[in-house]
């Protein structure tokens, strides 16, 4: 589950507000400022309103920057390309690719999630795990309307510019090639904690709302480092690719608000530490 959450985001919430720090940061250098927000890509209706710090950063910015353009992700062409590239075209199946242990674990979880293994068998592991995870998220009331979609819609209404850090093709490759070369290990790792998804999300959202970066790091980064290729592909390499783009924003006259999954902010390879090491002043926003 933790692997897929880095792609589809952090979800679930506590209904009561939590005061203190936040997952929004002010980044400054040479008199120029941008904002960096750790997001939840998927939320439940009860998760709104969002923490006030996000609105403060939004109101102070002219440009919104997302991992990918949320509008592009909703385009039917995106879904068609994703499914086409997620399907084996060379005769392989999950049955032939996975170990017996991993295949049986996926089949058992698929049955619980109302996605029989017969439906999943021709699909690559990354997409199969994502489909199962989305089914489980749906059971706890999660939808596709998260922080990103919320502010994307707001930006369009307010006439603000929308940019992205990655292309649709890149993200499709990221999803469809997850676990390539170590498919069984990937599946077994990704299915961890699905049986306690609500409890995991409650703990996660409390850390997200309060800006508890130590807890977020423990829940995502420390665990994923035990699987170096996944860690590099999903977190470290992407953060390194985003860093020059974010630094370039500090040279524009406009103020940008960069919104990325909260897991990208934490740890030694997280954006916060990378920006600090590059001499930027980082301040956590407090309402």
């Amino acid at each position: 589950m933790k692997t897929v959450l880095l792609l589809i985001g952090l979800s679930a919430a506590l209904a009561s507000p939590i005061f203190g720090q936040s997952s929004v940061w002010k980044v400054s250098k040479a008199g120029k400022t941008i904002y960096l927000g750790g997001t939840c890509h998927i939320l439940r209706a009860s998760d709104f309103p969002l923490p006030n710090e996000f609105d403060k950063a939004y109101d102070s910015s002219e440009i919104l920057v997302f991992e990918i353009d949320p509008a592009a992700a909703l385009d039917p062409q995106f879904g068609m390309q994703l499914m086409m590239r997620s399907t084996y075209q060379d005769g392989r199946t999950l049955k032939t690719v996975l170990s017996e242990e991993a295949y049986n674990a996926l089949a058992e979880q698929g049955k619980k999630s109302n996605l029989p293994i017969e439906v999943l068998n021709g699909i690559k592991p990354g997409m199969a795990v994502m489909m199962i995870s989305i089914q489980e998220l749906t059971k706890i009331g999660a939808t596709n309307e998260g922080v990103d979609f919320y502010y994307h819609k707001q930006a369009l209404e307010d006439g603000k510019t929308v940019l992205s850090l990655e292309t649709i093709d890149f993200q499709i490759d990221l999803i469809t090639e997850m676990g390539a070369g170590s498919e069984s290990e990937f599946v077994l790792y990704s299915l961890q904690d699905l049986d306690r998804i609500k409890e995991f999300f409650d703990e996660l959202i409390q850390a997200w709302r309060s800006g508890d970066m130590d807890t977020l790091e423990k829940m995502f980064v420390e665990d994923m480092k035990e699987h170096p290729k996944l860690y590099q592909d999903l977190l470290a390499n992407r953060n390194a690719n985003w860093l020059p783009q974010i630094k370039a924003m500090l040279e524009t006259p406009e103020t940008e608000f960069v919104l990325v999954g909260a897991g990208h902010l934490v740890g030694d390879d997280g954006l916060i530490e990378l920006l600090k090491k590059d001499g930027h002043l980082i301040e956590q926003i407090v309402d």
Side-chain angles (χ1 to χ4, degrees):
M1 179 178 66
K2 296 173 184 179
T3 300
V4 177
L5 288 177
L6 288 168
L7 295 177
I8 62 178
L10 313 178
S11 176
L14 303 176
S16 58
I18 299 171
F19 299 100
Q21 296 174 316
S22 73
S23 291
V24 182
W25 302 74
K26 181 180 178 181
V27 182
S28 305
K29 191 171 186 180
K32 179 67 171 62
T33 294
I34 65 170
Y35 294 91
L36 183 61
T39 71
C40 304
H41 301 317
I42 294 178
L43 292 172
R44 302 180 296 191
S46 59
D47 299 338
F48 291 88
L50 299 175
N52 291 335
E53 294 84 0
F54 282 88
D55 276 342
K56 286 186 174 181
Y58 175 84
D59 291 339
S60 300
S61 305
E62 293 84 43
I63 297 175
L64 277 289
V65 184
F66 302 94
E67 293 181 32
I68 60 171
D69 186 342
L74 292 175
D75 189 323
Q77 283 294 116
F78 171 77
M80 291 173 60
Q81 288 185 48
L82 179 59
M83 284 308 301
M84 182 179 67
R85 287 159 62 177
S86 295
T87 303
Y88 285 116
Q89 305 293 329
D90 56 6
R92 286 184 294 166
T93 66
L94 293 174
K95 182 73 171 178
T96 64
V97 168
L98 299 177
S99 67
E100 183 177 358
E101 179 188 9
Y103 182 82
N104 289 339
L106 191 64
E108 181 180 353
Q109 183 58 58
K111 185 176 181 180
K112 294 178 183 177
S113 302
N114 298 317
L115 281 171
I117 193 65
E118 292 79 10
V119 173
L120 301 172
N121 201 32
I123 298 172
K124 295 178 182 179
M127 189 61 180
V129 168
M130 176 168 283
M131 290 170 65
I132 284 176
S133 299
I134 290 174
Q135 284 286 89
E136 294 303 307
L137 289 167
T138 301
K139 289 180 182 179
I140 64 169
T143 71
N144 291 325
E145 183 77 20
V147 175
D148 306 78
F149 287 111
Y150 176 85
Y151 281 113
H152 178 262
K153 180 180 179 181
Q154 192 66 46
L156 294 182
E157 291 177 358
D158 294 339
K160 296 192 178 187
T161 300
V162 172
L163 302 176
S164 58
L165 296 167
E166 295 175 340
T167 66
I168 288 292
D169 278 345
F170 178 88
Q171 287 231 339
I172 289 177
D173 284 341
L174 194 67
I175 295 169
T176 58
E177 297 305 316
M178 275 195 299
S182 55
E183 288 87 354
S184 296
E185 179 186 7
F186 165 77
V187 166
L188 291 171
Y189 169 69
S190 298
L191 294 180
Q192 291 177 9
D193 301 320
L194 270 178
D195 59 344
R196 55 179 292 267
I197 190 168
K198 186 181 184 303
E199 293 84 353
F200 181 87
F201 269 54
D202 285 344
E203 181 182 356
L204 181 60
I205 205 67
Q206 183 170 2
W208 170 72
R209 282 190 175 272
S210 61
D212 184 349
M213 310 309 275
D214 289 338
T215 297
L216 290 173
E217 181 177 359
K218 181 179 179 181
M219 297 180 78
F220 283 98
V221 176
E222 291 182 6
D223 191 45
M224 188 169 284
K225 278 186 174 180
E226 297 178 10
H227 305 269
K229 187 175 187 307
L230 280 175
Y231 175 75
Q232 289 296 323
D233 290 346
L234 296 185
L235 283 177
N237 290 345
R238 295 171 73 201
N239 291 344
N241 289 337
W242 295 346
L243 184 63
Q245 297 182 63
I246 293 172
K247 289 166 57 178
M249 295 173 197
L250 285 159
E251 300 177 2
T252 67
E254 299 86 6
T255 299
E256 291 86 359
F257 186 16
V258 182
L259 293 156
V260 298
H264 290 284
L265 301 187
V266 298
D268 292 340
D269 296 309
L271 291 173
I272 299 300
E273 281 302 312
L274 292 176
L275 287 164
K276 283 182 179 178
K277 290 175 183 176
D278 203 56
H280 296 79
L281 176 63
I282 311 291
E283 304 170 77
Q284 200 166 17
I285 303 298
V286 179
D287 184 26

